[in-house]
Amino acid sequence: MEQRLANTWQMTVNERKFIEMALAADLRVDDRGPFDYRPCTITFGRHKLKYLQFSFTNRVGGSSEVQLGETHVMSYVTSQLVQPYRDRPNEGTLSIFTEFSPMADPAFEAGRPGEFAIELGRIVDRGLRESGAVDMESLCVVVGKLVWSIRVDLHILDNGGNLIDAANIAALASLLTFRRPECTLGGDDNHELIIHDIEDREPLPLIIHHLPVAVTFAVFGEGNIMVIDPSYKEEAVMGGRMTITMNSNGDICAVQKAGIGISSSVIIRCLEICAVKAAEITSKINHANLLDSQMESFNDGRSIQYPNFHPVDVAIQDNLPDVIMNKKQIENLTGHLAALPLDALDRNSNKSGAVVVGTNTRAKFENNQARDGVPFYSPSNWDPYPRKLCSCLARSSLKLSGLPEDVEEDKVNTTQSVKVECGLEHTKGASSSRALETASEYTTVEATSQYIKAPKTLKDAVKIQNRKMRK
Amino acid sequence: MAPMEVDRADGRTSNQLRPLSCTRNVLHRAHGSARWSQGDTIVLAAVFGPKAGTKKEENPEKASIEVIWKPKTGLIGKVEKEYEMILKRTLQSVCLLTIHPNTTTSVIVQVVGDDGALLPCAINASCAALADAGIPLKYLAVAICCGLTGSRSVILDPTKIEEKKILAFAYLVFPNSPISVLPKGSLTEDSEPIEAGIITSVTHGAMPVVDYFNCLDRGYAACAKISEFLRRSMESQAPSDLTKTT
């Protein structure tokens, strides 16, 4: 028992009081406005396993990963043909499953979902299913016998606060990219169900009428201080929480409120703010989806060069670059393997390296598009404990990797940005000219707008006032 | 017996691996995390450092490792439990267990994409995550999947479709190859390769003994290259200044 207490994280009294006092003075610990969202990145991955024999479980899953500040949520959509419910014989079903992975938070336990996990699942479910966002009647195949059952799995990978909003965006994004195979009735007597393979007929997207977006408000103080998108520490301090699920038309899809009482005037104000935020997030999701489908069609066009290997979209992750083996390195690998007493290797046959680079840069390009309007820090000289690399260090590392020095004077460079340059060094060797183009595009975009910040501490909050006055 | 050239669906030769990619420190709350991808098989591993206490059935004189495997969709079944057990045993032989007795280190593995060779990918990701968390290790484990086709030739790193078609396959885990401090000359005199034991071997399907040894040789050679890649990725991501707070 003591050991379990020893392993849980407890917020210190000092931190709690500090956050409360700062909020009373209209300041947030991470220098956001009270109604500002953290930078949000949406990445898509559609798995087109074209060579797989089609079985009853759909192989064309739609998946997306959303990074909202430090919160990371992954969503995966699959479908299956099932018998419909008896009272709704012509409608498909949509079910949401939430997995609070222990990797997100040491307090989450594997196995049975806790009450917050169930609550999150219910909020997302109400917003999506009960508001009629996804068209159920189009999922019917044979009335009373076979309908499509859509299953959304939400995996919480990193708990940085405000899981509900992130999970909702992830669910929406993955439903938008999900494609189900087309099936028709055929056969001798028109009673046989033919599920068309992905190669024969293009899979169909789901019909989604509107995008219900969840906006979470955290309540502090006497019920008069409200902030949007609480971070993990703010959540530990808050007195109550209110989540409003709204679409861009201004329709309220769901409201969930718990904690201390809020007056009705405050609630109405929150609804107005929510309308604005919902529209913003909807446009962000649509924009990201559009970019993804554009790159998808581009990739399809490019696949003509590689008849054997169809470039597959891989769910590429966050903004940390990968150390990818570029074509040269893979050639070296094969060259080394050739030294062994084995059959002759074809050194120029590996094109998959170039493809990986292409999709990687695509995802990162998209990431930069998805973020907008977030102010970034300038490393001031007053900080006696620099937790970030100073710009001169970054510049020297850029020199090392031989990239164009677009580094601005007042840019934030965390240790993660060092990895950016190194990752690019690897990708630069790719032979595909298109990939190189996007890689250099990526260089300039990433170099000029660095949004990833090292986690802020109270020290940064102390000097916020000076910066605000300067602005 | 001369091995024949195998025609693989994605244009690789029988000795070619899919493009590898490794990113560490991807999660903020976990003590260590890594994302490892081999082609379309992507695994995200997170490590929570030594926590006080061990479970009842574990030996309190050593550190214990707890593995939680999270599939992409669906409930946890027998397959996932088996993976957890194999991963746990592999990591137990890799970690130095006597440094922190009576503690539990949790390794959580999340499958992000599955296109064949899932367990080797997970083992590689877990080792990278353990290194990222700073858990004391003896060496890193490097895993590979070797498949045996019907024509009795060995292919490396099969995709899911290939796994279904081939006769048998084996997941092999080797310790990563050390950088030798001896000058190159002395190595060439010694015709025997440096002895390295196999940490784990899991086979599916029946294969003749000779072919199994073929797989071992190929796997060992390929693991040397993967461990080179791993070393390079760790070196490039090592923080130049250590002012980063946890």
Side-chain angles (χ1 to χ4, degrees), chain B residues 98-111:
Chain B
T98 47
I99 292 188
H100 301 294
N102 201 20
T103 60
T104 308
T105 304
S106 314
V107 179
I108 301 116
V109 174
Q110 170 74 52
V111 177

Side-chain angles (χ1 to χ4, degrees), chain A residues 3 6-7 9 47 49 51-52 59 63 65 67 69-70 72 74 76 78 99-106 110-111 151 153 155 157-160 232 308-309 312-318 320-325 329-330 333-334 336-337 340 342-346 349-350 352-353 356 386-387 389 393 415-416 419 422 426, chain B residues 3-6 8-30 35 39-40 42 44-46 48 50-54 68 70-75 102 108-115 156 160-161 164 218 221-222 225-226 228-229 232-233 236-237 239-241 243-245:
Chain A
Q3 284 165 351
N7 291 330
W9 172 78
H47 300 268
L49 297 169
Y51 299 101
L52 207 61
R59 296 295 176 174
S63 73
E65 284 188 38
Q67 180 102 27
E70 290 191 359
H72 195 143
M74 178 177 87
Y76 187 53
T78 43
E99 288 278 330
F100 270 45
S101 173
M103 69 165 70
D105 198 321
R151 180 194 164 113
D153 281 284
H155 298 278
L157 302 175
D158 210 355
N159 182 12
Y232 181 65
N308 289 331
F309 180 72
V312 173
D313 276 353
V314 178
I316 309 293
Q317 57 288 18
D318 40 41
L320 290 174
D322 312 318
V323 178
I324 307 162
M325 290 183 81
Q329 289 167 344
I330 296 171
L333 174 86
T334 59
H336 282 298
L337 288 170
L340 302 166
L342 302 160
D343 31 341
L345 300 167
D346 183 9
S349 70
N350 183 18
S352 44
V356 170
R387 222 150 286 108
L389 285 178
L393 249 180
T415 46
Q416 293 166 341
K419 294 172 203 167
C422 289
H426 285 272
Chain B
M4 287 155 24
E5 184 70 41
V6 175
R8 296 173 82 168
D10 51 8
R12 284 188 287 155
T13 66
S14 51
N15 286 322
Q16 240 172 339
L17 303 170
R18 288 174 286 182
L20 299 169
S21 129
C22 169
T23 328
R24 290 186 301 125
N25 201 18
V26 290
L27 300 174
H28 296 95
R29 299 299 305 284
R35 184 174 185 129
D40 274 337
I42 309 171
L44 178 63
F48 281 93
K51 287 186 282 201
T54 48
I68 300 166
K70 289 269 177 193
K72 197 162 183 181
T73 179
L75 295 169
N102 201 20
I108 301 116
V109 174
Q110 170 74 52
V111 177
V112 177
D114 181 10
D115 190 26
L156 291 178
K160 202 158 196 162
I161 321 144
K164 286 199 195 306
R218 292 280 191 94
K225 297 306 149 193
I226 300 180
E228 213 178 270
F229 163 75
R232 244 198 333 250
S233 83
S236 69
Q237 285 181 0
S240 50
D241 64 329
T243 56
K244 188 168 112 152
T245 57

